[in-house]
Amino acid sequence: MHIIDKYFPTLSPLQKEQFKQLGTLYPEWNEKINVISRKDIENLYEHHILHSLAIARFITPQTGTTFLDMGTGGGFPGIPLAIMWPECRFHLIDRVGKKIKVASAIADAVGLRNVTFQHGDIGECRNRYDFVVSRAVMKIGELIPLIRKNISASSKNSFPNGLLCLKGGDLSAELGAVREPMIEVPLSDYFTEEFFQTKELIYVDL
């Protein structure tokens, strides 16, 4: 939890408590339904929660901004972002029902009221949002055609509506195939831990 305080020192007491609860809830649920690698659960705060919150270092959304978390798994990045931005709304979707079950139960347990859930394929989601967020679900060039229909036409934020994607590794070939306007941010610009040396945030204007 201290690593969240390190980078986000102005959290409210409620937000601090919610992030603290995640440190208990995810290991408990992971024992029953595996949503995080069992080898990696001890790195929950750094590898999953803080990683998700990289998006909160890139953008500060206006009140009422809407987000679609495509392929949320156990709730990343959607749940940490929903805690960070209680005045925004989040819809989390995943093909795997048991992962949605875990994410929904954890959101209920920490008292999130700005999150909805959907068990299904992205093709079944027809609503529009200001931003789609995603964490290493698929190649960006494959993701864009699937989510373009879900991007709202009217923008209210400093960045136009689009895709915010957390990725790792060598992205040169993957990003070379993207034709839309794009910003590439090394997460080492935000966080000093070694884990983030090979991680990036990709914003695509859609």
Side-chain angles (χ1 to χ4, degrees):
M1 176 61 195
H2 72 278
I3 200 170
I4 307 301
D5 290 328
K6 173 182 176 181
Y7 290 107
F8 299 95
T10 61
L11 295 173
S12 71
L14 174 59
Q15 288 172 313
K16 289 182 178 181
E17 178 59 26
Q18 288 173 320
F19 280 122
K20 182 180 178 181
Q21 288 177 34
L22 297 186
T24 301
L25 290 164
Y26 271 107
E28 287 178 351
W29 272 102
N30 216 53
E31 287 295 318
K32 296 178 279 188
I33 299 174
N34 190 24
V35 294
I36 295 172
S37 166
R38 300 202 187 280
K39 295 183 295 183
D40 204 33
I41 192 68
E42 64 187 38
N43 299 309
L44 172 69
Y45 278 102
E46 181 178 323
H47 293 186
H48 301 277
I49 298 173
L50 185 63
H51 188 209
S52 297
L53 293 176
I55 292 172
R57 297 297 294 265
F58 179 78
I59 187 173
T60 302
Q62 297 292 317
T63 295
T65 297
T66 57
F67 293 85
L68 170 64
D69 182 358
M70 191 275 197
T72 188
F76 301 106
I79 285 178
L81 291 175
I83 294 174
M84 183 63 63
W85 297 325
E87 302 305 319
C88 298
R89 289 181 288 122
F90 294 81
H91 185 64
L92 280 54
I93 185 170
D94 200 278
R95 292 178 177 178
V96 182
K98 63 182 181 179
K99 292 183 178 181
I100 286 291
K101 176 183 177 181
V102 172
S104 178
I106 288 174
D108 284 345
V110 302
L112 289 179
R113 299 290 176 262
N114 58 336
V115 184
T116 54
F117 297 89
Q118 182 177 350
H119 171 211
D121 187 87
I122 188 62
E124 300 171 54
C125 182
R126 310 304 301 183
N127 294 333
R128 292 180 178 269
Y129 304 85
D130 296 309
F131 295 97
V132 173
V133 295
S134 180
R135 200 169 75 121
V137 171
M138 63 176 66
K139 290 182 178 179
I140 292 177
E142 298 171 0
L143 181 56
I144 288 172
L146 298 179
I147 56 94
R148 193 185 294 276
K149 71 181 187 314
N150 299 109
I151 301 294
S152 174
S154 56
S155 294
K156 61 171 75 75
N157 290 281
S158 55
F159 289 97
N161 294 353
L163 172 66
L164 292 161
C165 198
L166 296 167
K167 304 283 288 185
D170 183 359
L171 302 175
S172 53
E174 179 176 342
L175 298 183
V178 177
R179 296 292 170 255
E180 290 78 5
M182 178 177 59
I183 298 173
E184 182 179 1
V185 183
L187 295 195
S188 56
D189 287 1
Y190 301 145
F191 308 130
T192 59
E193 286 74 17
E194 183 179 353
F195 172 76
F196 297 104
Q197 296 301 310
T198 59
K199 302 294 188 292
E200 296 189 4
L201 182 150
I202 310 299
Y203 160 74
V204 184
D205 179 355
L206 296 176

